[in-house]
């Protein structure tokens, strides 16, 4: 039943995404699930919220593999890479994506992340990037600030 419901919701979200996507927008945001993360409904909802608020979004899918990501990021040059995780185990895998992003030459995209896997504030303190909050609406707000140049902490999210 869960797989049926998820498949149904995914189809509807992709249909809405395609309706609202114009190919234009402010900034380019790549959205994806962390490596080994297969629960994509949350990040699809965030992607849809971003598109509805005028951002250009490319959804990269579930379980984003770090291999080959650097080349994709160099070629498309997104402003932000947004990663979702629903468990602490898959949230830990965001470090692999952060390493890829940090290895890129300047100007590199910023890294943002969200989902239940990042609920622990102590875990987030030791993770490169910027937490986008606990909801799709907070993610849209934070993305807007990031792309306007305000990370809220006075420095680049990938700075050490």
């Amino acid at each position: 039943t869960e797989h049926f419901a998820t498949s149904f919701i995914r189809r509807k979200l992709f249909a809405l995404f395609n309706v609202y996507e114009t190919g234009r927008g402010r900034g380019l945001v790549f959205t994806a699930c962390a490596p080994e993360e297969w629960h994509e409904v949350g990040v699809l909802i965030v992607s849809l919220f971003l598109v509805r608020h005028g951002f250009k979004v490319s959804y990269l899918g579930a379980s984003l593999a770090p291999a080959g990501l650097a080349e994709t990021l160099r070629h498309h040059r997104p402003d932000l890479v947004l990663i979702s995780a629903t468990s602490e185990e898959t949230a830990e895998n965001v470090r692999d994506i952060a390493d890829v992003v940090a290895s890129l030459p300047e100007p590199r995209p910023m890294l943002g992340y969200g989902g239940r896997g990042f609920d622990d504030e102590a875990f987030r303190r030791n993770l490169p990037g910027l937490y986008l909050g606990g909801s799709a609406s907070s993610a849209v707000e934070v993305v807007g600030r990031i792309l306007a140049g305000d990370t809220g902490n006075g420095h680049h999210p990938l700075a050490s």
Side-chain angles (χ1 to χ4, degrees), residues 22-41:
T22 64
R24 298 180 310 251
R26 51 189 173 136
L28 174 57
V29 180
F30 278 6
T31 60
C33 293
E36 303 301 318
E37 176 63 63
W38 298 99
H39 296 93
E40 60 186 334
V41 170

Side-chain angles (χ1 to χ4, degrees), residues 121-143:
E121 188 176 338
F123 172 73
R124 292 193 312 261
R125 274 194 296 262
N126 297 314
L127 189 64
L130 193 62
Y131 179 58
L132 300 177
S135 69
S137 58
S138 70
V140 169
E141 180 183 324
V142 174
V143 167

Side-chain angles (χ1 to χ4, degrees), residues 33-68:
C33 293
E36 303 301 318
E37 176 63 63
W38 298 99
H39 296 93
E40 60 186 334
V41 170
V43 73
L44 282 170
I45 290 171
V46 169
S47 299
L48 181 60
F49 270 52
L50 290 169
V51 167
R52 291 269 300 144
H53 283 86
F55 296 99
K56 187 174 180 179
V57 176
S58 289
Y59 176 63
L60 301 181
S63 189
L64 180 63

Side-chain angles (χ1 to χ4, degrees), residues 42-129:
V43 73
L44 282 170
I45 290 171
V46 169
S47 299
L48 181 60
F49 270 52
L50 290 169
V51 167
R52 291 269 300 144
H53 283 86
F55 296 99
K56 187 174 180 179
V57 176
S58 289
Y59 176 63
L60 301 181
S63 189
L64 180 63
L69 180 59
E71 181 179 335
T72 300
L73 296 176
R74 278 193 298 270
H75 179 74
H76 293 282
R77 302 182 55 90
D79 298 292
L80 175 66
V81 177
L82 189 158
I83 305 296
S84 172
T86 61
S87 72
E88 291 178 11
E89 291 79 15
T90 56
E92 184 64 40
N93 295 338
V94 169
R95 292 183 195 284
D96 296 334
I97 302 299
D99 290 345
V100 170
V101 172
S103 75
L104 296 171
E106 291 286 350
R108 67 179 61 98
M110 293 186 191
L111 176 66
Y113 52 85
R116 287 181 301 185
F118 302 101
D119 285 348
D120 182 4
E121 188 176 338
F123 172 73
R124 292 193 312 261
R125 274 194 296 262
N126 297 314
L127 189 64

